[in-house]
Amino acid sequence: MNFGKFIEIGRIITVNYGPSRGKIAVIVDIIDKNRCLIDGPSGRQMINLKRVTPSKFKFSINRKSSTNKIHQLFLENKIEKKWFNSRWGKKVLRVKKKENFSDFENFKFMIGKKYKSNIFRCHI
């Protein structure tokens, strides 16, 4: 199995750190071995490659494409919908949902996990 998630122009990425954490964007230009220029719903910005994770999605764009063209491609290809339907996107949605739990919802979640693990432990 070959590695297919290279840092390249047109690759859809997820920001892991900073104010745009959890948002998706596309690589527009590679500045040097440590930084790239990204654009997407989070806006155009220069970001360190240690703060991004590439996804399996990619579309062909020219180097330094305009912001309007990038946004049109996002809408035409339905990138956000495809990303949120992937396993990784679904996990991000679950984590965001859990972050917004109230104290009582956290308590119910904890009790449910205990009940589930107790059932599995008794049947094994």
Side-chain angles (χ1 to χ4, degrees):
M1 177 184 252
N2 295 336
F3 182 75
K5 297 179 184 177
F6 296 108
I7 299 294
E8 55 189 333
I9 295 173
R11 177 72 60 190
I12 305 297
I13 54 105
T14 305
V15 180
N16 295 330
Y17 185 79
S20 300
R21 181 176 182 259
K23 296 186 180 175
I24 60 173
V26 62
I27 297 177
V28 179
D29 191 17
I30 298 173
I31 298 169
D32 59 18
K33 67 177 185 172
N34 294 323
R35 295 177 296 164
C36 65
L37 183 67
I38 63 171
D39 194 3
S42 60
R44 186 170 277 217
Q45 59 184 331
M46 183 175 57
I47 194 163
N48 194 321
L49 290 175
K50 292 180 182 177
R51 296 182 176 203
V52 301
T53 304
S55 71
K56 65 180 180 180
F57 303 111
K58 180 185 182 301
F59 51 80
S60 60
I61 59 170
N62 294 332
R63 190 169 175 240
K64 295 185 180 178
S65 295
S66 67
T67 302
N68 291 335
K69 185 175 180 183
I70 299 293
H71 288 284
Q72 284 177 348
L73 286 171
F74 259 85
L75 295 175
E76 289 172 5
N77 295 327
K78 299 178 183 174
I79 296 296
E80 287 187 351
K81 184 177 179 182
K82 287 180 185 176
W83 191 81
F84 283 116
N85 285 331
S86 68
R87 287 177 60 195
W88 190 9
K90 289 178 183 176
K91 180 181 177 184
V92 168
L93 288 177
R94 279 195 312 267
V95 169
K96 284 184 180 180
K97 184 179 177 183
K98 193 170 182 305
E99 285 175 355
N100 294 329
F101 276 2
S102 66
D103 287 342
F104 184 63
E105 289 170 331
N106 274 329
F107 174 74
K108 289 193 304 186
F109 187 77
M110 178 194 67
I111 296 298
K113 280 177 58 176
K114 284 183 177 181
Y115 181 74
K116 179 182 160 187
S117 68
N118 194 12
I119 288 174
F120 284 135
R121 189 177 32 220
C122 290
H123 290 315
I124 292 179

